[in-house]
Amino acid sequence: MEALSLNLKLLQFSGILEPPIVMKSQWKRWLFSLYMITSVVVFIPVLMGELLAVYHFWGDLVVITNNIFTMVGNITFYGNALYIISRRKAFMHLVSALDQMLEDIPRWNVKQQMITKETIARSRKLTWSLLVIIYLVPVSWSVAPVISMLMPDAEEEILAEPVNEIEEFWRSLISIMWLPLDATQSPIREIVYTCQFIVFVLTASYYTSVNTVFVSFIVHISGQFEILISTIYDMDKTIEKYNDPYALREYFVNVISHHQSVIAFAKELNDVLSPLLFFYFMSAQVMMCVMAFQMVLTWGEQNNFLKFFFGLLCVMAGPFFFCWQGNVLIDQSLKTQQAVYGCEWYERNSDFKKMTHIVITRAQRPIRLTAGTLYPLSLESFAKMLNSVYYYFAVLKQLHEE
């Protein structure tokens, strides 16, 4: 399917969906299962090490908030991946429903083809933009530990003061950990770093693939409303061209069917997406708060500040893209009533006027996707989310100062 081809490839790359090539042989299915098991096996010790670090460094607000970001992020995005895997049937039905809706567009013409191509292009641009923003985090967070491990002076200091420097080593990793062993010696430290790096890359791939595919769904729904509006605006010209008394009713019935199919698809998407977004938006607020806190603490330390800045940018990007495209969807759905009201309904028969009234009445209620029941996807909701984050940040900063 061309409309979601890039997004489906990302889901296959991350291991959430099985690539078609995997289904062709037994050993490929075995390797794919091994890959999925390995991703979980690697995640567990990293998460345990982060939890132990919270216990070991209890009272150090800087360490705890740092670990909250990595723990909440890893749990959230691993959870997103498991959610899609558990609802794979409903998700694949969404993919096939979108494909069918694109094939069944009435009155297919050059203008509608252009809108479809622009929608696909917009979806891919958003996907690539989010991909670049998200992968800044594993890259920026992984550089500093590598540099510290490659510096010979750092190793000498570790040998000189083993107890203190071991704790400093735990603090210098991608995410702060504590394990009941001395991991400052090779090859243990390389193994620990590699496990953390794998988890970060997997987390980034889950974050990217899950978020971009659902943002793309929203973009395509907005594109369907653009096509619907274009069809309505062309209705009068088309009817006058063919001068067929039966053509008007058939044309408008097709418009109504298309409108209903888009509404039904949006409802089906919301049923799948809403629980996922509720959990994601709640955890995103926590991560934004602690990243803003870390940025304030590391102001002037260029390397650490940039690391936390990219972390904040990454966490903000997902909710912003959802709310932005959700806002576009609301606007496009409301334009339907304007398009219907703008046609020459006053020159038509009573049957056509009744159908017009029904469409306008339904179109007055905008299509809103939601995160649970708390957050309708709109820029207003995103602004409220940022206000909440600032409030939590102010409380956290006050606790640190006290």
Side-chain angles (χ1 to χ4, degrees), residues 23-126:
M23 304 303 296
K24 296 180 179 179
S25 65
Q26 182 67 31
W27 69 272
K28 289 179 180 178
R29 287 197 296 269
W30 183 82
L31 284 177
F32 183 80
S33 300
L34 182 63
Y35 167 74
M36 294 298 297
I37 293 172
T38 303
S39 66
V40 176
V41 169
V42 172
F43 171 68
I44 293 174
V46 171
L47 178 62
M48 291 300 299
E50 292 171 348
L51 288 170
L52 288 171
V54 172
Y55 175 77
H56 181 76
F57 295 104
W58 187 257
D60 190 335
L61 195 59
V62 176
V63 173
I64 293 173
T65 53
N66 191 315
N67 270 31
I68 286 175
F69 172 75
T70 54
M71 286 190 299
V72 172
N74 290 337
I75 292 172
T76 299
F77 304 130
Y78 265 79
N80 288 354
L82 292 174
Y83 179 82
I84 298 300
I85 292 172
S86 65
R87 301 205 60 181
R88 186 178 183 276
K89 186 176 180 181
F91 174 78
M92 293 309 298
H93 186 267
L94 282 172
V95 175
S96 60
L98 177 61
D99 192 18
Q100 189 65 41
M101 191 164 54
L102 291 173
E103 291 181 359
D104 294 343
I105 294 176
R107 308 290 178 180
W108 188 254
N109 55 39
V110 175
K111 188 175 182 180
Q112 292 176 336
Q113 291 176 4
M114 186 181 301
I115 294 173
T116 302
K117 290 180 180 179
E118 290 174 352
T119 301
I120 293 174
R122 185 164 65 250
S123 169
R124 289 180 175 176
K125 286 179 182 178
L126 291 174

Side-chain angles (χ1 to χ4, degrees), residues 143-164:
V143 171
V146 172
I147 294 175
S148 64
M149 282 191 291
L150 294 176
M151 290 176 62
D153 293 338
E155 186 174 352
E156 292 176 4
E157 292 178 1
I158 290 174
L159 293 174
E161 296 183 53
V163 176
N164 294 335

Side-chain angles (χ1 to χ4, degrees), residues 147-361:
I147 294 175
S148 64
M149 282 191 291
L150 294 176
M151 290 176 62
D153 293 338
E155 186 174 352
E156 292 176 4
E157 292 178 1
I158 290 174
L159 293 174
E161 296 183 53
V163 176
N164 294 335
E165 294 301 332
I166 287 174
E167 289 196 355
E168 289 301 316
F169 173 76
W170 292 128
R171 292 172 183 264
S172 68
L173 289 170
I174 299 176
S175 59
I176 300 174
M177 293 181 63
W178 186 90
L179 294 175
L181 50 86
D182 182 2
T184 60
Q185 305 298 321
S186 296
I188 299 177
R189 63 179 182 179
E190 285 79 9
I191 293 173
V192 171
Y193 171 82
T194 302
C195 290
Q196 283 195 326
F197 180 75
I198 291 172
V199 169
F200 258 61
V201 172
L202 285 172
T203 301
S205 68
Y206 295 152
Y207 185 10
T208 305
S209 57
V210 173
N211 284 355
T212 56
V213 72
F214 283 115
V215 170
S216 295
F217 273 129
I218 301 173
V219 170
H220 283 289
I221 297 175
S222 300
Q224 288 297 302
F225 274 109
E226 290 184 49
I227 292 173
L228 178 66
I229 293 166
S230 172
T231 305
I232 295 170
Y233 280 134
D234 292 341
M235 181 166 56
D236 293 328
K237 296 179 181 178
T238 304
I239 299 305
E240 290 174 2
K241 179 180 178 181
Y242 293 102
N243 196 22
D244 184 352
Y246 299 101
L248 177 62
R249 179 179 176 81
E250 181 184 355
Y251 192 107
F252 201 55
V253 167
N254 288 334
V255 168
I256 294 173
S257 298
H258 188 198
H259 188 214
Q260 290 176 339
S261 66
V262 177
I263 293 173
F265 180 80
K267 183 180 182 304
E268 184 179 356
L269 174 63
N270 193 61
D271 290 341
V272 176
L273 181 60
S274 184
L276 179 71
L277 279 188
F278 176 73
F279 177 63
Y280 170 47
F281 277 20
M282 296 298 289
S283 61
Q285 291 182 68
V286 175
M287 289 186 284
M288 281 190 276
C289 177
V290 296
M291 280 298 94
F293 178 71
Q294 290 289 340
M295 284 176 61
V296 171
L297 294 179
T298 57
W299 186 266
E301 301 176 20
Q302 186 175 0
N303 292 335
N304 286 329
F305 178 82
L306 287 175
K307 181 177 79 169
F308 296 128
F309 172 76
F310 288 141
L312 178 62
L313 182 64
C314 167
V315 178
M316 288 180 62
F320 172 72
F321 276 47
F322 275 113
C323 291
W324 173 27
Q325 293 307 311
N327 205 83
V328 172
L329 176 58
I330 292 172
D331 292 341
Q332 290 296 333
S333 65
L334 287 174
K335 288 180 181 178
T336 304
Q337 62 167 330
Q338 300 171 7
V340 174
Y341 188 78
C343 71
E344 298 178 358
W345 56 269
Y346 44 83
E347 295 183 359
R348 311 301 180 191
N349 56 36
S350 59
D351 186 36
F352 182 87
K353 291 177 181 178
K354 287 179 181 178
M355 290 192 295
T356 302
H357 177 71
I358 293 172
V359 175
I360 291 176
T361 302

